[in-house]
Amino acid sequence: MQRVFVTGAAGFIGSSLVDRLLQEGCEVVGWDNFSTGQEDFVRPALKSERFVLTRGDNLDLESLTHAMAGCDFVFHFAANADVRFGLDHPKRDLEQNTLATFNVLEAMRTNGVKRVAFSSTGSVYGEATLFPTPEDAPFPVQTSLYAASKLAGEGMIQAYCEGFGFEGYIFRFVSILGERYTHGHVFDFYKQLLEHPDHLRVLGDGTQRKSYLYIRDCLSAIVHAIDSGSAAAAKHRSIVFNLGADEFCTVKDSIGWICGRLGLNPQLEFTGGKRGWVGDNPFIFLDTKKIREAGWRNEISIREAVIRTLDWLQENTWVFEKRL
């Protein structure tokens, strides 16, 4: 990779990726509409002469195409990641995830860019029946608009790889934790405990089982997979990797770690049921054998990732005002 284009460059994962790419000597063009991205996240990158930041929206194909000119690799990490409230604005997932992905692919085609990495989600497996869930598991009914829109994006990328000779790396993430994390259960729980340390409301019954992955481990896996060139060697020039830890925890486990770190013992109020909301999968645990056989290993446990995320939130409470 020489000159790379990153959509969602001011987001949690995108900005962390930008920093990693700059460390590896790449020239980076960042693209973000700042709907959820934070200017503070790209401040370190802006100190580099090899980083250019452009404010723009993926739905503006003309501007997107112009900004991408001269790049030779695209990381498409911009998305509407609001799974829980997707039913409140169903058009948003279609536009920001599926149509935006189409525009990114068209901008690539116009500019002659052939290589792309895409941030998908383990949620595309719906309520899986096989655990840990491998990349080739049968797909059940989609249970969230977010996952459905991401799956459509995967399909578009695979079709462009087949039809236009692209090289595509699709990464199905579990939930990612770490520095610059701005939404999810650790964020929600800590925000509540700041407001009322003696009481914590928990969606569902607390038995939901989820796997997580620390941000630096996530980035290492992505870079490792791309450096292997495995998509170029694949039959249809695209490859899917599950990314996650080889363990999972319950919501109650995470509550214990968070409250223990804060020295709190709040009364827990469970809303009940196996799911926190419509589309919430009660068990997510991905089979990561493929990426591990390629030589990658995560270094940080889920417990340590939760603690590091909490510590960062304690040091950066400004994010709660930004994410109202």
Side-chain angles (χ1 to χ4, degrees), residues 205-244:
D205 61 7
T207 65
Q208 301 99 309
R209 296 170 291 173
K210 305 293 178 73
S211 187
Y212 298 91
L213 186 64
Y214 183 55
I215 180 64
R216 294 179 193 172
D217 285 331
C218 175
L219 299 178
S220 294
I222 290 167
V223 172
H224 185 84
I226 293 169
D227 285 347
S228 74
S230 51
K235 180 179 179 181
H236 299 286
R237 296 187 58 82
S238 65
I239 192 165
V240 177
F241 287 101
N242 284 341
L243 297 188

Side-chain angles (χ1 to χ4, degrees), residues 155-175:
M156 292 296 299
I157 290 169
Q158 290 166 336
Y160 270 68
C161 289
E162 182 76 9
F164 298 111
F166 284 18
E167 178 183 334
Y169 296 84
I170 295 168
F171 299 101
R172 293 176 180 160
F173 299 160
V174 294
S175 294

Side-chain angles (χ1 to χ4, degrees), residues 13-282:
I13 301 175
S15 66
S16 302
L17 173 65
V18 166
D19 290 346
R20 172 68 184 259
L21 294 171
L22 290 172
Q23 289 171 8
E24 299 207 353
C26 296
E27 294 182 8
V28 182
V29 178
W31 173 266
D32 204 294
N33 67 2
F34 287 90
S35 59
T36 57
Q38 302 296 327
E39 293 183 3
D40 284 350
F41 291 173
V42 291
R43 280 202 169 86
L46 287 169
K47 296 176 183 177
S48 173
E49 295 181 352
R50 289 181 283 107
F51 179 63
V52 176
L53 177 65
T54 302
R55 186 183 295 262
D57 196 294
N58 286 327
L59 298 179
D60 182 353
L61 178 56
E62 182 178 355
S63 297
L64 175 64
T65 303
H66 178 75
M68 193 185 292
C71 294
D72 52 28
F73 196 105
V74 172
F75 288 90
H76 179 32
F77 281 27
N80 171 51
D82 187 3
V83 187
R84 179 177 163 192
F85 295 106
L87 296 177
D88 293 342
H89 36 68
K91 190 176 182 181
R92 189 176 299 171
D93 283 310
L94 172 67
E95 292 180 338
Q96 293 295 335
N97 296 346
T98 306
L99 298 181
T101 299
F102 168 75
N103 280 354
V104 168
L105 293 168
E106 277 296 282
M108 289 176 61
R109 191 163 69 94
T110 299
N111 282 301
V113 185
K114 294 287 190 176
R115 306 180 74 204
V116 59
F118 180 58
S119 59
S120 189
T121 171
S123 295
V124 299
Y125 297 112
E127 294 188 10
T129 57
L130 177 62
F131 299 100
T133 310
E135 289 89 349
D136 59 357
F139 280 174
V141 172
Q142 291 300 307
T143 56
S144 72
L145 294 174
Y146 169 72
S149 66
K150 280 291 191 178
L151 185 56
E154 287 190 18
M156 292 296 299
I157 290 169
Q158 290 166 336
Y160 270 68
C161 289
E162 182 76 9
F164 298 111
F166 284 18
E167 178 183 334
Y169 296 84
I170 295 168
F171 299 101
R172 293 176 180 160
F173 299 160
V174 294
S175 294
I176 307 302
L177 298 172
E179 298 78 13
R180 300 179 185 170
Y181 167 97
T182 55
H183 77 276
H185 83 281
V186 182
F187 184 96
D188 294 339
F189 288 165
Y190 182 51
K191 185 173 186 290
Q192 283 193 61
L193 292 169
L194 283 175
E195 296 171 354
H196 39 77
D198 59 342
H199 175 259
L200 182 63
R201 185 172 183 266
V202 183
L203 299 178
D205 61 7
T207 65
Q208 301 99 309
R209 296 170 291 173
K210 305 293 178 73
S211 187
Y212 298 91
L213 186 64
Y214 183 55
I215 180 64
R216 294 179 193 172
D217 285 331
C218 175
L219 299 178
S220 294
I222 290 167
V223 172
H224 185 84
I226 293 169
D227 285 347
S228 74
S230 51
K235 180 179 179 181
H236 299 286
R237 296 187 58 82
S238 65
I239 192 165
V240 177
F241 287 101
N242 284 341
L243 297 188
D246 57 354
E247 58 175 335
F248 60 85
C249 69
T250 68
V251 173
K252 289 180 180 178
D253 290 332
S254 191
I255 291 171
W257 300 331
I258 292 168
C259 293
R261 186 69 166 182
L262 296 174
L264 299 175
N265 186 29
Q267 179 180 353
L268 303 181
E269 176 198 349
F270 295 99
T271 61
K274 296 296 183 183
R275 298 167 185 78
W277 58 87
V278 175
D280 179 30
N281 295 332

